[in-house]
Amino acid sequence: MSPAVVQIDRLDWTDPLAVATGLNRREGALALLAGAGDPAAHGGRWSFVACEPDQVHVGPVEDGAPFDALRDVAFAVGGVVGLMSYDAGARPATGPRAEVWPDLMLARYPALLAFDHARGEVLAVGRGADRREAGERAGQAQAWLSLAVAPPTPSPPADAFTGEAAPEAYEAAVADVVARIAAGELFQANIARGWSGRLGAARDPFEVFLRLSAGRGAAYGAFWRLGERVVVSNSPELFLTFDPVSGRIETRPIKGTRPRHSDPERDAALAADLIASVKDRAENLMIVDLMRNDLARAAVPGSVRVERLFEIESHPTVHHLVSTVTAAVRPGWGAAGVLEVAFPPGSITGAPKHQAMKVIAAHEPPRGPWCGSLFALGLAGDAALTASVLIRTAFLERDASGWRFRVLAGAGIVADSDPGAEREETDAKVRALKEALIGA
Protein backbone atom coordinates (compact mmCIF):
# COMPACT_ATOMS: atom_id res chain seq x y z
CA MET A 1 0.00 0.00 0.00
CA SER A 2 1.30 3.49 -0.82
CA PRO A 3 2.00 5.83 2.09
CA ALA A 4 -0.88 8.29 2.44
CA VAL A 5 -0.16 9.80 5.87
CA VAL A 6 2.82 12.05 6.64
CA GLN A 7 4.14 12.80 10.13
CA ILE A 8 6.73 15.51 10.73
CA ASP A 9 8.58 15.88 14.04
CA ARG A 10 10.66 19.03 14.60
CA LEU A 11 14.04 18.49 16.25
CA ASP A 12 17.13 20.42 17.27
CA TRP A 13 19.83 21.09 14.70
CA THR A 14 22.47 18.50 13.80
CA ASP A 15 25.05 18.78 11.02
CA PRO A 16 23.63 16.87 8.02
CA LEU A 17 27.07 15.82 6.78
CA ALA A 18 27.79 14.23 10.17
CA VAL A 19 24.53 12.26 9.98
CA ALA A 20 25.28 11.21 6.40
CA THR A 21 28.72 10.03 7.51
CA GLY A 22 27.10 7.74 10.07
CA LEU A 23 24.73 6.21 7.52
CA ASN A 24 26.81 6.15 4.34
CA ARG A 25 27.39 2.38 4.14
CA ARG A 26 23.71 1.46 4.39
CA GLU A 27 21.69 0.43 1.36
CA GLY A 28 20.17 3.39 -0.42
CA ALA A 29 22.28 5.85 1.58
CA LEU A 30 21.33 9.35 0.45
CA ALA A 31 22.74 12.80 1.20
CA LEU A 32 21.50 15.86 -0.67
CA LEU A 33 23.44 18.74 0.82
CA ALA A 34 22.81 22.41 0.09
CA GLY A 35 26.30 23.79 -0.17
CA ALA A 36 27.73 20.82 1.73
CA GLY A 37 27.71 22.70 5.01
CA ASP A 38 27.63 26.25 3.56
CA PRO A 39 24.14 26.63 2.06
CA ALA A 40 24.06 30.40 2.50
CA ALA A 41 26.77 30.71 -0.14
CA HIS A 42 24.33 29.85 -2.93
CA GLY A 43 20.90 30.31 -1.40
CA GLY A 44 20.19 26.68 -0.53
CA ARG A 45 17.71 26.07 2.29
CA TRP A 46 17.26 22.32 2.57
CA SER A 47 19.53 19.33 3.00
CA PHE A 48 18.25 15.73 3.17
CA VAL A 49 19.65 12.48 4.55
CA ALA A 50 18.06 9.04 4.37
CA CYS A 51 18.69 5.35 3.75
CA GLU A 52 16.85 2.04 3.30
CA PRO A 53 14.16 2.86 0.72
CA ASP A 54 11.07 0.65 0.64
CA GLN A 55 10.48 0.88 -3.14
CA VAL A 56 13.18 0.84 -5.83
CA HIS A 57 12.97 0.93 -9.62
CA VAL A 58 16.10 0.50 -11.76
CA GLY A 59 15.97 -0.08 -15.47
CA PRO A 60 15.09 1.12 -18.95
CA VAL A 61 12.26 3.49 -19.88
CA GLU A 62 9.91 3.61 -22.81
CA ASP A 63 11.07 6.04 -25.49
CA GLY A 64 8.97 9.18 -25.57
CA ALA A 65 7.70 8.85 -21.99
CA PRO A 66 10.79 8.69 -19.76
CA PHE A 67 9.08 9.93 -16.60
CA ASP A 68 6.02 7.68 -16.67
CA ALA A 69 7.32 5.76 -13.66
CA LEU A 70 6.86 8.91 -11.57
CA ARG A 71 3.15 8.79 -12.39
CA ASP A 72 2.90 5.39 -10.68
CA VAL A 73 1.07 5.87 -7.39
CA ALA A 74 3.93 4.13 -5.57
CA PHE A 75 6.26 7.01 -6.46
CA ALA A 76 3.84 9.92 -6.90
CA VAL A 77 3.24 10.21 -3.14
CA GLY A 78 6.58 11.90 -2.41
CA GLY A 79 9.67 10.95 -0.45
CA VAL A 80 11.18 9.99 -3.82
CA VAL A 81 14.65 10.46 -5.30
CA GLY A 82 15.38 9.66 -8.92
CA LEU A 83 18.06 9.83 -11.56
CA MET A 84 17.30 10.01 -15.27
CA SER A 85 20.29 9.39 -17.51
CA TYR A 86 21.10 11.80 -20.30
CA ASP A 87 20.93 9.02 -22.88
CA ALA A 88 17.32 8.13 -22.00
CA GLY A 89 16.22 11.64 -22.88
CA ALA A 90 18.47 11.97 -25.93
CA ARG A 91 17.48 8.66 -27.52
CA PRO A 92 14.64 10.04 -29.68
CA ALA A 93 17.30 12.19 -31.40
CA THR A 94 20.27 9.82 -31.33
CA GLY A 95 18.61 6.44 -31.77
CA PRO A 96 19.66 3.32 -29.80
CA ARG A 97 23.10 3.45 -28.21
CA ALA A 98 25.01 1.25 -25.79
CA GLU A 99 23.61 1.49 -22.26
CA VAL A 100 26.37 2.49 -19.83
CA TRP A 101 24.05 3.20 -16.89
CA PRO A 102 20.37 2.44 -16.19
CA ASP A 103 18.02 4.88 -17.86
CA LEU A 104 16.14 5.49 -14.65
CA MET A 105 16.81 4.93 -10.96
CA LEU A 106 14.02 5.65 -8.47
CA ALA A 107 13.82 5.08 -4.73
CA ARG A 108 11.08 5.90 -2.24
CA TYR A 109 12.10 6.77 1.33
CA PRO A 110 9.33 6.36 3.93
CA ALA A 111 11.70 7.73 6.58
CA LEU A 112 14.05 10.66 6.03
CA LEU A 113 15.60 13.68 7.69
CA ALA A 114 15.11 17.18 6.26
CA PHE A 115 17.54 19.85 7.49
CA ASP A 116 16.12 23.38 7.33
CA HIS A 117 19.16 25.69 7.22
CA ALA A 118 16.98 28.81 7.38
CA ARG A 119 15.26 27.82 10.64
CA GLY A 120 18.14 25.83 12.11
CA GLU A 121 16.03 22.75 12.77
CA VAL A 122 15.70 19.17 11.58
CA LEU A 123 12.45 17.55 10.45
CA ALA A 124 12.04 13.82 10.96
CA VAL A 125 9.63 12.91 8.16
CA GLY A 126 7.69 9.64 8.23
CA ARG A 127 5.24 8.31 5.65
CA GLY A 128 2.88 5.40 6.15
CA ALA A 129 -0.45 3.86 5.27
CA ASP A 130 -1.87 5.18 8.55
CA ARG A 131 -0.89 7.46 11.42
CA ARG A 132 0.74 4.68 13.42
CA GLU A 133 3.02 3.62 10.58
CA ALA A 134 3.90 7.23 9.73
CA GLY A 135 4.85 7.82 13.37
CA GLU A 136 7.06 4.74 13.43
CA ARG A 137 8.86 5.92 10.30
CA ALA A 138 9.41 9.39 11.76
CA GLY A 139 10.84 7.74 14.87
CA GLN A 140 13.17 5.66 12.70
CA ALA A 141 14.47 8.83 11.05
CA GLN A 142 14.92 10.55 14.41
CA ALA A 143 17.03 7.63 15.67
CA TRP A 144 19.52 8.23 12.84
CA LEU A 145 20.58 11.50 14.48
CA SER A 146 22.27 9.54 17.28
CA LEU A 147 24.54 7.89 14.69
CA ALA A 148 26.10 11.17 13.58
CA VAL A 149 29.92 11.22 13.61
CA ALA A 150 32.37 14.00 12.87
CA PRO A 151 33.16 13.74 9.15
CA PRO A 152 36.87 13.16 8.44
CA THR A 153 38.74 14.44 5.38
CA PRO A 154 40.28 11.33 3.85
CA SER A 155 43.39 11.18 1.73
CA PRO A 156 42.86 11.01 -2.06
CA PRO A 157 41.19 7.62 -2.72
CA ALA A 158 42.37 7.16 -6.33
CA ASP A 159 45.85 7.02 -7.88
CA ALA A 160 45.04 7.84 -11.51
CA PHE A 161 42.71 10.15 -13.41
CA THR A 162 43.06 9.08 -17.02
CA GLY A 163 41.67 10.88 -20.03
CA GLU A 164 39.55 8.71 -22.31
CA ALA A 165 40.89 10.51 -25.40
CA ALA A 166 43.82 12.77 -26.21
CA PRO A 167 43.27 16.53 -25.68
CA GLU A 168 43.89 17.00 -29.40
CA ALA A 169 40.90 14.78 -30.18
CA TYR A 170 38.66 17.06 -28.13
CA GLU A 171 39.96 20.14 -29.91
CA ALA A 172 39.29 18.46 -33.25
CA ALA A 173 35.71 17.74 -32.16
CA VAL A 174 35.26 21.38 -31.18
CA ALA A 175 36.60 22.51 -34.56
CA ASP A 176 34.15 20.19 -36.32
CA VAL A 177 31.21 21.62 -34.36
CA VAL A 178 32.33 25.17 -35.19
CA ALA A 179 32.32 24.18 -38.86
CA ARG A 180 28.84 22.68 -38.55
CA ILE A 181 27.62 25.91 -36.96
CA ALA A 182 29.15 27.92 -39.81
CA ALA A 183 27.31 25.66 -42.26
CA GLY A 184 23.99 26.46 -40.57
CA GLU A 185 23.44 23.01 -39.06
CA LEU A 186 22.97 24.36 -35.51
CA PHE A 187 23.77 27.32 -33.26
CA GLN A 188 25.39 25.65 -30.25
CA ALA A 189 26.34 22.22 -28.90
CA ASN A 190 27.81 21.14 -25.58
CA ILE A 191 30.75 18.79 -26.24
CA ALA A 192 32.31 16.80 -23.40
CA ARG A 193 35.52 15.00 -22.48
CA GLY A 194 35.75 11.97 -20.20
CA TRP A 195 38.19 10.68 -17.56
CA SER A 196 38.12 7.41 -15.66
CA GLY A 197 40.00 5.36 -13.09
CA ARG A 198 39.64 3.22 -9.99
CA LEU A 199 39.56 3.83 -6.28
CA GLY A 200 42.27 2.15 -4.27
CA ALA A 201 41.71 -1.18 -2.55
CA ALA A 202 39.32 -0.86 0.41
CA ARG A 203 38.54 2.77 -0.49
CA ASP A 204 34.91 3.88 -0.68
CA PRO A 205 33.00 6.43 -2.83
CA PHE A 206 31.84 8.32 0.26
CA GLU A 207 35.43 9.43 0.72
CA VAL A 208 35.18 11.32 -2.59
CA PHE A 209 32.06 13.07 -1.31
CA LEU A 210 33.77 14.00 1.96
CA ARG A 211 36.70 15.52 0.09
CA LEU A 212 34.38 17.54 -2.16
CA SER A 213 32.46 18.73 0.89
CA ALA A 214 35.58 20.07 2.59
CA GLY A 215 35.34 23.76 1.65
CA ARG A 216 34.10 23.35 -1.92
CA GLY A 217 30.59 21.93 -1.64
CA ALA A 218 28.17 23.08 -4.32
CA ALA A 219 24.53 24.10 -4.11
CA TYR A 220 23.34 20.64 -5.22
CA GLY A 221 25.89 18.36 -3.62
CA ALA A 222 24.73 14.74 -3.58
CA PHE A 223 25.77 11.26 -2.54
CA TRP A 224 23.51 8.33 -3.48
CA ARG A 225 24.34 4.66 -3.04
CA LEU A 226 21.96 2.21 -4.70
CA GLY A 227 23.16 -1.37 -5.00
CA GLU A 228 26.55 -1.50 -6.72
CA ARG A 229 26.25 2.05 -8.09
CA VAL A 230 27.08 5.39 -6.49
CA VAL A 231 26.56 8.97 -7.60
CA VAL A 232 28.81 11.68 -6.15
CA SER A 233 27.76 15.12 -7.37
CA ASN A 234 29.14 18.58 -6.79
CA SER A 235 26.71 20.26 -9.17
CA PRO A 236 26.11 24.01 -8.93
CA GLU A 237 23.29 23.94 -11.48
CA LEU A 238 19.55 23.83 -10.94
CA PHE A 239 17.65 22.10 -13.73
CA LEU A 240 14.27 23.14 -12.36
CA THR A 241 12.04 23.45 -9.34
CA PHE A 242 8.28 23.01 -9.34
CA ASP A 243 5.87 23.87 -6.53
CA PRO A 244 2.48 22.28 -7.28
CA VAL A 245 0.80 24.48 -4.65
CA SER A 246 1.80 27.81 -6.22
CA GLY A 247 2.26 26.38 -9.71
CA ARG A 248 5.66 28.06 -10.07
CA ILE A 249 8.35 26.48 -12.26
CA GLU A 250 11.89 27.85 -12.15
CA THR A 251 15.01 26.92 -14.10
CA ARG A 252 18.50 28.43 -13.77
CA PRO A 253 20.69 27.50 -16.75
CA ILE A 254 24.46 28.01 -16.54
CA LYS A 255 26.39 29.10 -19.62
CA GLY A 256 29.73 30.91 -19.37
CA THR A 257 32.70 29.94 -17.20
CA ARG A 258 35.99 31.38 -15.96
CA PRO A 259 38.45 29.69 -13.58
CA ARG A 260 38.95 31.13 -10.10
CA HIS A 261 42.35 32.63 -9.21
CA SER A 262 44.16 32.75 -5.86
CA ASP A 263 45.01 36.43 -6.31
CA PRO A 264 41.87 38.48 -5.42
CA GLU A 265 42.50 41.15 -8.04
CA ARG A 266 43.08 38.61 -10.79
CA ASP A 267 40.02 36.65 -9.61
CA ALA A 268 37.84 39.77 -9.77
CA ALA A 269 39.19 40.55 -13.24
CA LEU A 270 38.24 37.08 -14.45
CA ALA A 271 34.69 37.52 -13.15
CA ALA A 272 34.46 40.95 -14.79
CA ASP A 273 35.73 39.51 -18.06
CA LEU A 274 33.03 36.83 -17.95
CA ILE A 275 30.16 39.22 -17.39
CA ALA A 276 31.43 41.51 -20.17
CA SER A 277 32.06 38.70 -22.67
CA VAL A 278 29.88 39.05 -25.77
CA LYS A 279 30.50 35.37 -26.63
CA ASP A 280 29.46 34.07 -23.21
CA ARG A 281 26.40 36.34 -22.99
CA ALA A 282 25.26 35.20 -26.44
CA GLU A 283 25.80 31.56 -25.44
CA ASN A 284 23.79 32.07 -22.25
CA LEU A 285 21.00 33.88 -24.08
CA MET A 286 20.61 31.04 -26.60
CA ILE A 287 19.99 28.58 -23.78
CA VAL A 288 17.66 31.00 -21.99
CA ASP A 289 15.55 31.13 -25.16
CA LEU A 290 15.64 27.33 -25.43
CA MET A 291 14.49 26.93 -21.81
CA ARG A 292 11.73 29.49 -22.33
CA ASN A 293 10.44 27.39 -25.20
CA ASP A 294 10.69 24.16 -23.19
CA LEU A 295 8.82 25.58 -20.19
CA ALA A 296 6.15 27.12 -22.44
CA ARG A 297 4.97 23.61 -23.30
CA ALA A 298 3.77 23.18 -19.70
CA ALA A 299 3.04 26.81 -18.84
CA VAL A 300 0.03 29.09 -18.76
CA PRO A 301 0.30 31.15 -21.98
CA GLY A 302 2.14 34.40 -21.37
CA SER A 303 3.51 33.36 -17.96
CA VAL A 304 7.09 32.52 -19.00
CA ARG A 305 9.46 35.22 -17.77
CA VAL A 306 13.20 35.84 -17.62
CA GLU A 307 13.55 37.09 -14.04
CA ARG A 308 17.32 37.46 -13.99
CA LEU A 309 19.79 37.54 -16.87
CA PHE A 310 23.58 37.15 -16.86
CA GLU A 311 24.22 36.98 -13.11
CA ILE A 312 27.64 35.96 -11.80
CA GLU A 313 27.86 33.00 -9.42
CA SER A 314 31.26 32.32 -7.88
CA HIS A 315 32.12 28.80 -6.75
CA PRO A 316 35.35 27.43 -5.22
CA THR A 317 37.02 26.69 -8.57
CA VAL A 318 35.00 28.62 -11.20
CA HIS A 319 32.86 31.68 -11.91
CA HIS A 320 29.63 31.03 -13.82
CA LEU A 321 27.14 33.13 -15.77
CA VAL A 322 23.61 32.18 -14.67
CA SER A 323 20.12 33.27 -15.73
CA THR A 324 16.71 32.52 -14.19
CA VAL A 325 13.55 31.65 -16.14
CA THR A 326 10.16 31.12 -14.46
CA ALA A 327 6.66 30.11 -15.50
CA ALA A 328 3.24 29.25 -14.07
CA VAL A 329 2.17 25.68 -14.76
CA ARG A 330 -1.03 24.90 -16.65
CA PRO A 331 -3.84 23.19 -14.70
CA GLY A 332 -3.55 19.42 -14.61
CA TRP A 333 0.22 19.26 -14.98
CA GLY A 334 2.33 17.44 -12.39
CA ALA A 335 6.01 16.91 -11.63
CA ALA A 336 6.48 14.12 -14.18
CA GLY A 337 5.13 16.21 -17.03
CA VAL A 338 7.16 19.29 -16.09
CA LEU A 339 10.37 17.24 -16.02
CA GLU A 340 9.56 15.51 -19.27
CA VAL A 341 8.98 18.60 -21.42
CA ALA A 342 12.35 20.11 -20.49
CA PHE A 343 14.57 17.01 -20.38
CA PRO A 344 17.48 16.74 -21.13
CA PRO A 345 18.47 20.18 -19.80
CA GLY A 346 19.10 22.70 -22.56
CA SER A 347 22.30 24.03 -21.02
CA ILE A 348 24.10 20.74 -21.69
CA THR A 349 22.62 19.94 -25.09
CA GLY A 350 22.53 23.03 -27.30
CA ALA A 351 20.29 24.72 -29.83
CA PRO A 352 18.28 23.54 -31.61
CA LYS A 353 18.15 20.83 -28.97
CA HIS A 354 17.27 17.86 -31.20
CA GLN A 355 20.04 18.57 -33.71
CA ALA A 356 22.55 19.36 -30.95
CA MET A 357 21.97 15.94 -29.41
CA LYS A 358 22.63 14.28 -32.78
CA VAL A 359 25.91 16.21 -33.11
CA ILE A 360 26.90 15.30 -29.55
CA ALA A 361 26.32 11.61 -30.32
CA ALA A 362 28.61 11.89 -33.35
CA HIS A 363 31.51 12.98 -31.14
CA GLU A 364 30.95 11.27 -27.77
CA PRO A 365 30.34 7.78 -26.46
CA PRO A 366 27.14 7.46 -24.40
CA ARG A 367 27.15 9.86 -21.47
CA GLY A 368 25.20 7.73 -19.02
CA PRO A 369 23.98 9.79 -16.08
CA TRP A 370 26.30 12.74 -16.76
CA CYS A 371 24.19 15.76 -17.73
CA GLY A 372 21.05 13.86 -16.89
CA SER A 373 19.21 14.93 -13.75
CA LEU A 374 19.04 13.96 -10.09
CA PHE A 375 15.62 14.93 -8.77
CA ALA A 376 13.81 14.88 -5.43
CA LEU A 377 10.04 14.87 -5.00
CA GLY A 378 8.35 15.81 -1.74
CA LEU A 379 11.24 15.21 0.65
CA ALA A 380 10.26 17.86 3.21
CA GLY A 381 6.78 16.41 3.67
CA ASP A 382 5.36 18.50 0.83
CA ALA A 383 4.98 17.82 -2.90
CA ALA A 384 7.75 20.11 -4.20
CA LEU A 385 10.15 18.99 -6.91
CA THR A 386 13.83 19.97 -7.16
CA ALA A 387 16.03 18.66 -9.98
CA SER A 388 19.71 19.36 -10.54
CA VAL A 389 21.80 19.05 -13.69
CA LEU A 390 24.36 16.30 -13.17
CA ILE A 391 27.49 18.23 -14.03
CA ARG A 392 30.63 18.09 -11.81
CA THR A 393 29.61 14.55 -10.99
CA ALA A 394 31.40 11.22 -10.64
CA PHE A 395 29.64 7.92 -11.28
CA LEU A 396 31.01 4.78 -9.70
CA GLU A 397 30.25 1.09 -10.15
CA ARG A 398 31.63 -1.81 -8.14
CA ASP A 399 32.96 -4.96 -9.80
CA ALA A 400 35.16 -7.82 -8.62
CA SER A 401 38.19 -5.50 -8.47
CA GLY A 402 36.54 -2.68 -6.52
CA TRP A 403 35.14 0.70 -7.50
CA ARG A 404 35.70 2.24 -10.93
CA PHE A 405 34.72 5.82 -11.66
CA ARG A 406 33.95 7.99 -14.67
CA VAL A 407 33.89 11.79 -14.81
CA LEU A 408 33.00 14.14 -17.68
CA ALA A 409 33.22 17.88 -18.31
CA GLY A 410 31.91 19.81 -21.28
CA ALA A 411 31.81 23.24 -22.87
CA GLY A 412 29.22 25.00 -24.96
CA ILE A 413 30.57 25.41 -28.49
CA VAL A 414 29.40 28.41 -30.53
CA ALA A 415 30.44 30.05 -33.81
CA ASP A 416 33.50 31.84 -32.42
CA SER A 417 34.70 29.10 -30.05
CA ASP A 418 38.45 28.53 -29.87
CA PRO A 419 39.22 24.80 -29.51
CA GLY A 420 42.14 25.33 -27.12
CA ALA A 421 40.17 27.71 -24.90
CA GLU A 422 37.22 25.32 -24.75
CA ARG A 423 39.53 22.48 -23.72
CA GLU A 424 40.95 24.67 -20.96
CA GLU A 425 37.40 25.41 -19.80
CA THR A 426 36.75 21.68 -19.35
CA ASP A 427 39.96 21.44 -17.31
CA ALA A 428 38.69 24.20 -15.00
CA LYS A 429 35.31 22.54 -14.61
CA VAL A 430 36.71 19.13 -13.70
CA ARG A 431 39.34 20.49 -11.32
CA ALA A 432 37.37 20.06 -8.06
CA LEU A 433 36.51 16.43 -8.82
CA LYS A 434 40.02 15.66 -9.97
CA GLU A 435 41.47 17.05 -6.73
CA ALA A 436 38.90 15.10 -4.71
CA LEU A 437 39.92 11.87 -6.42
CA ILE A 438 43.74 12.15 -6.73
CA GLY A 439 44.70 15.33 -4.87
CA ALA A 440 46.01 18.68 -6.06
Side-chain angles (χ1 to χ4, degrees):
M1 182 178 295
S2 296
V5 178
V6 179
Q7 177 165 320
I8 299 176
D9 297 333
R10 299 182 180 277
L11 309 166
D12 292 337
W13 181 257
T14 302
D15 175 28
L17 184 57
V19 180
T21 302
L23 299 178
N24 83 84
R25 296 283 184 141
R26 297 194 181 191
E27 175 55 27
L30 171 75
L32 306 177
L33 301 192
D38 186 19
H42 304 112
R45 175 175 177 177
W46 293 97
S47 293
F48 302 95
V49 174
C51 61
E52 299 166 355
D54 69 342
Q55 293 279 342
V56 173
H57 171 95
V58 177
V61 302
E62 293 296 328
D63 290 350
F67 291 97
D68 268 358
L70 272 184
R71 297 181 175 98
D72 187 310
V73 66
F75 292 104
V77 294
V80 169
V81 172
L83 187 159
M84 181 66 73
S85 76
Y86 168 86
D87 300 308
R91 198 174 296 124
T94 65
R97 307 190 79 200
E99 184 179 292
V100 297
W101 191 273
D103 284 348
L104 177 64
M105 298 166 55
L106 281 176
R108 187 181 72 182
Y109 292 88
L112 61 89
L113 293 167
F115 298 78
D116 187 341
H117 294 271
R119 293 178 177 268
E121 64 182 9
V122 182
L123 309 184
V125 182
R127 287 181 168 83
D130 51 36
R131 190 169 299 280
R132 178 194 61 80
E133 186 178 9
E136 289 176 354
R137 294 296 195 178
Q140 176 187 355
Q142 181 174 345
W144 293 338
L145 295 173
S146 65
L147 303 178
V149 296
T153 302
S155 61
D159 296 324
F161 189 84
T162 305
E164 296 178 348
E168 295 78 13
Y170 181 77
E171 294 186 16
V174 171
D176 177 71
V177 174
V178 170
R180 290 171 182 256
I181 293 170
E185 185 176 336
L186 73 167
F187 300 109
Q188 180 181 160
N190 188 286
I191 303 299
R193 305 166 62 195
W195 296 262
S196 57
R198 286 188 172 274
L199 302 190
R203 305 303 295 266
D204 186 77
F206 194 74
E207 298 175 51
V208 183
F209 184 64
L210 287 172
R211 288 178 58 80
L212 282 172
S213 301
R216 69 178 85 207
Y220 302 99
F223 175 87
W224 194 23
R225 185 191 301 270
L226 206 59
E228 303 303 302
R229 298 182 179 91
V230 170
V231 179
V232 177
S233 184
N234 199 43
S235 176
E237 184 168 5
L238 174 70
F239 175 25
L240 57 82
T241 60
F242 169 54
D243 180 355
V245 176
S246 68
R248 176 185 169 90
I249 311 170
E250 178 178 317
T251 182
R252 302 183 70 242
I254 289 175
K255 271 298 164 197
T257 303
R258 293 292 184 277
R260 298 298 303 268
H261 199 281
S262 58
D263 177 70
E265 289 188 8
R266 177 60 180 150
D267 189 60
L270 287 165
D273 178 70
L274 174 58
I275 203 166
S277 167
V278 173
K279 170 188 176 294
D280 288 292
R281 290 162 74 96
E283 185 180 342
N284 190 286
L285 187 59
M286 273 189 268
I287 301 306
V288 166
D289 284 342
L290 188 156
M291 296 306 299
R292 288 173 60 219
N293 290 334
D294 281 351
L295 294 191
R297 296 165 61 194
V300 173
S303 69
V304 180
R305 298 179 54 222
V306 180
E307 291 196 350
R308 290 180 292 277
L309 192 64
F310 309 147
E311 289 193 329
I312 286 285
E313 275 191 5
S314 297
H315 299 271
T317 58
V318 291
H319 300 290
H320 279 312
L321 204 59
V322 184
S323 295
T324 302
V325 184
T326 64
V329 75
R330 289 206 305 265
W333 280 70
V338 170
L339 279 168
E340 193 167 3
V341 297
F343 190 81
S347 63
I348 49 69
T349 52
K353 182 187 278 190
H354 188 88
Q355 183 60 25
M357 291 188 291
K358 291 176 68 174
V359 171
I360 289 166
H363 287 289
E364 297 180 28
R367 288 178 167 181
W370 185 77
C371 281
S373 181
L374 185 68
F375 53 91
L377 178 63
L379 296 195
D382 54 13
L385 168 76
T386 299
S388 68
V389 182
L390 284 174
I391 57 174
R392 319 296 152 75
T393 301
F395 306 98
L396 302 100
E397 293 185 274
R398 183 162 50 190
D399 57 24
S401 300
W403 290 98
R404 54 187 172 87
F405 68 83
R406 188 177 188 226
V407 174
L408 295 93
I413 312 306
V414 292
D416 55 351
S417 285
D418 173 79
E422 301 294 0
R423 178 184 55 77
E424 290 173 357
E425 181 174 315
T426 63
D427 288 333
K429 289 175 175 176
V430 83
R431 178 181 148 201
L433 270 168
K434 183 177 181 181
E435 291 180 355
L437 284 157
I438 64 170

